[in-house]
Amino acid sequence: MLIGNYSFTLVFISLCVAILASYTALDLTGRIASARGRAVHFWTAGGALAMGVGVWSMHFIGMLAFKLPIDLGYDIAITALSLLIAVLSCGFALWLVSQPKLPIWQLAFGALVMGAGISAMHYTGMAALRMTPGIDYDPTLFGASLLIAVGASAAALGIAFRLRQHSPYVRLIRGGAAVIMGIAIVGMHYTGMAAAQFPDGSFCGASLDGLKGNGLDNLVLITTLAVLSIALLTSILDARLETRTADLAHSLTLANRELTQLALHDTLTGLPNRMLLDDRINQAMKKVEEQGGCFALMFIDLDGFKPVNDAFGHHMGDQLLREVGVRLREDLRSQDTLARIGGDEFVLLVRLSEPDDALGLAARQVGLLGQAFRVAEHDLQISASVGIALYPGNGLSAQELLMNADAAMYHAKGSGKNGYSFFDASMNSNARKQLQLLQDLRAALEHSQFSLYFQPKFDAASGRPVGAEALLRWQHPTQGMLLPDKFIDLAEKTGLIIAIGEWVLNEACRQMREWYVLGYTDWRIAVNLSALQFCHAGLVQSVAKALATHHLPANSLTLEITETTAMSDADASMTVLQELSDMGVDLSIDDFGTGYSSLMYLKRLPANELKIDRGFVRDLEHDSDDAAIVSAIVALGQALGLRIVAEGVETDVQQDFLTQLGCDSLQGYLLGHPMPADRFMQNIARGEAPAAV
Ligand code: C2E
Ligand code: CA
Ligand code: CA
């Protein structure tokens, strides 16, 4: 019998190839499992090729490591057949483990097929030697090699199936599994080789025309390594790509979720917005129709929010709104919806078992918001007016319910704020009236229904007239003369105030020009500016234009802005006021004492005049606090070098007191009511008459 021996270097290399091939195969199963569509076939075919070449070349290098004392060669066709068998059985194995499930019987069957494949490859490879006489195989070792092949295949398939999903340390586990599988494949091969016995005098038929020679091992090795590394590299790169795609898909999902959140929620408070509320109301209506029961829609409007916002700035206002949201939520169940649908407007949708339950809830919400809020070291006191609409009963659509809840809220506000009202059909007419008024207001400018009344201002000490305040009047076609408090708010809310304000400015300047020409060149005409006008970009230009059109020096015009407006965004106000002041326009802080002034800003404001709010003047005689406040304001104004005007002077006592305190000018019903320009001049002439005599 011929005694063979092994080149141990090649044996070692064959083991390495087996491990590498196993690792590649395991890596590829992961790709196949997560691939979609045609990529599955691509990965299975590529994987079968790479793994088949790997397993086969392990076997072939193992053969090359084996030396007999005779010349050996390998029949090309049979060797190629053994390679084909390797590729096919590996393809089958990969297909099997990429199935969604791998029950035990299927695993056993697969192991049998694959084991048979590997064995077939091995013994076909041996046949490529074309030995004469044939190789004797030791039956025990031959049997053992088959068992090892099947066992190793079962282990390989099992491991590959488990490892195809991404899991932590997958590379490490895969490496370990590859080593086990490699050893098993190598074990099968060398057991098979050990089974082979070559009788003395054997002759290798392929040694004449088959594959042989020294470079063969290197060629096989290099080709195999190339195939395996390309497969592995592609697999790793693809896995990276897949991870990145997965990451991208994940961030896309997050972004989508955020977008939906943004589209349906209010950014400030995170509460549902108008859109989501509408949807919830519709759902709630459907539910009531199907299952009975009822729900309430509560329209919650904050009282006293605007002054806080104006005085402390938007930042504080925002924080307060967030706190309000949190506090309102406290009392709710998870199925209730609290939405914010406008500046300081919240809407609550609650399912009720009895309509009467709404009462307790509304009372609780009003009570909750009536307690002071602690925001940034300040105790802020606000309250809430709540309007309640019930379904069924108070409307047939989400819009109608909301409108009616809104009308009920207005009613609550009208009856003293800090409370709640249930909707009643009569309230609707109020909302309708407002709507009609708005339509009329839109047409008022066009139809020249506005006019200006003028109220004189007098020098406190000498009693001489020093000018007038222009006050807007609206001659309504059906309601008669309307005072500003009936329509200025509406004009502000709808932006109409910009156009109206421009008209006032122009008309006041036109009138002042008439007086100027008559010789009253030291008078000033005062025009009130609303907050919206003050924020409007075109203000400075409008003022300049009005002055130019009517040939008036800038200091014939006083602009009155309320303290609250001036302080609400002090830095922005400062810029506008500075521009106006640079033009030479006179600036007056109206309703002084009602807002929250910061002394620091007041000092920096380029104002010329402080107008003490008529509220203080009214109570001067009875309220010693007010007297103290007025004298403090006068002292403050004097210290800052400002003129002090007191408005709302109705009695001699007030006039004397204010004059003594040092007010510069006075304005009020005692001295002159607001009146049209012609009557105004008649009164002035009458007043001047004694002096002229
Ligand atoms: P205001 O600027 O504080 O104007 C003074 C208001 O007090 C006027 O009311 C005037 O009629 C009233 N008044 C004058 N003397 C007395 C008095 O002795 N006792 C009492 N109780 N009241 C007196 P009016 O004309 O109804 O204007 C109300 C408010 O409407 C004004 O308050 C001003 O803020 C606003 N307003 C008036 N005209 C315009 C305008 O053209 N544009 C803007 N944006 N607002 C205007
Ligand atoms: Ca005023
Ligand atoms: Ca005023």
Side-chain angles (χ1 to χ4, degrees), residues 281-282 284-286 288-289 295 297 388-405 423-425 428:
I281 297 176
N282 285 324
M285 285 166 55
K286 209 177 283 166
V288 167
E289 269 141 41
F295 69 83
L297 206 59
I388 307 163
L390 294 170
Y391 186 87
N394 295 161
L396 295 172
S397 68
Q399 276 67 27
E400 200 179 344
L401 282 169
L402 261 175
M403 226 174 68
N404 290 343
F423 173 76
D424 175 285
N428 231 340

Side-chain angles (χ1 to χ4, degrees), residues 534-535 566 569-579:
F534 189 60
C535 298
D569 186 353
D571 289 320
S573 309
M574 196 74 76
T575 321
V576 178
L577 289 176
Q578 195 60 56
E579 275 178 78

Side-chain angles (χ1 to χ4, degrees), residues 153-204:
S153 298
L157 291 175
I159 294 173
F161 183 75
R162 295 263 132 64
L163 275 188
R164 45 185 218 162
Q165 300 304 357
H166 283 288
S167 54
Y169 311 116
V170 71
R171 296 210 170 273
L172 204 67
I173 303 173
R174 201 177 274 167
V179 171
I180 296 174
M181 271 170 71
I183 290 174
I185 295 171
V186 168
M188 179 270 148
H189 175 83
Y190 289 103
T191 315
M193 290 300 280
Q197 287 162 5
F198 300 89
D200 281 332
S202 285
F203 170 70
C204 173

Side-chain angles (χ1 to χ4, degrees), residues 469 471 527-528 560 590-591 611 647 667:
E469 178 175 3
L471 295 161
V527 169
N528 291 287
E560 295 192 0
D590 205 351
D591 298 350
K611 255 182 126 166
E647 64 179 341
Q667 178 185 349

Side-chain angles (χ1 to χ4, degrees), residues 452 455 469-473 483-485 488 492 497 501 504 527-530 533 560 562 590-591 611 613-614 647-650 667-670 672 674:
L452 288 186
Q455 183 175 34
E469 178 175 3
L471 295 161
L472 186 58
R473 298 293 180 262
L483 291 175
D485 61 328
I488 286 281
E492 278 231 6
I497 191 71
V504 171
V527 169
N528 291 287
L529 287 188
S530 82
Q533 269 175 293
E560 295 192 0
T562 65
D590 205 351
D591 298 350
K611 255 182 126 166
D613 186 67
R614 60 178 179 274
E647 64 179 341
V649 183
E650 293 182 355
Q667 178 185 349
Y669 292 164
L670 176 74

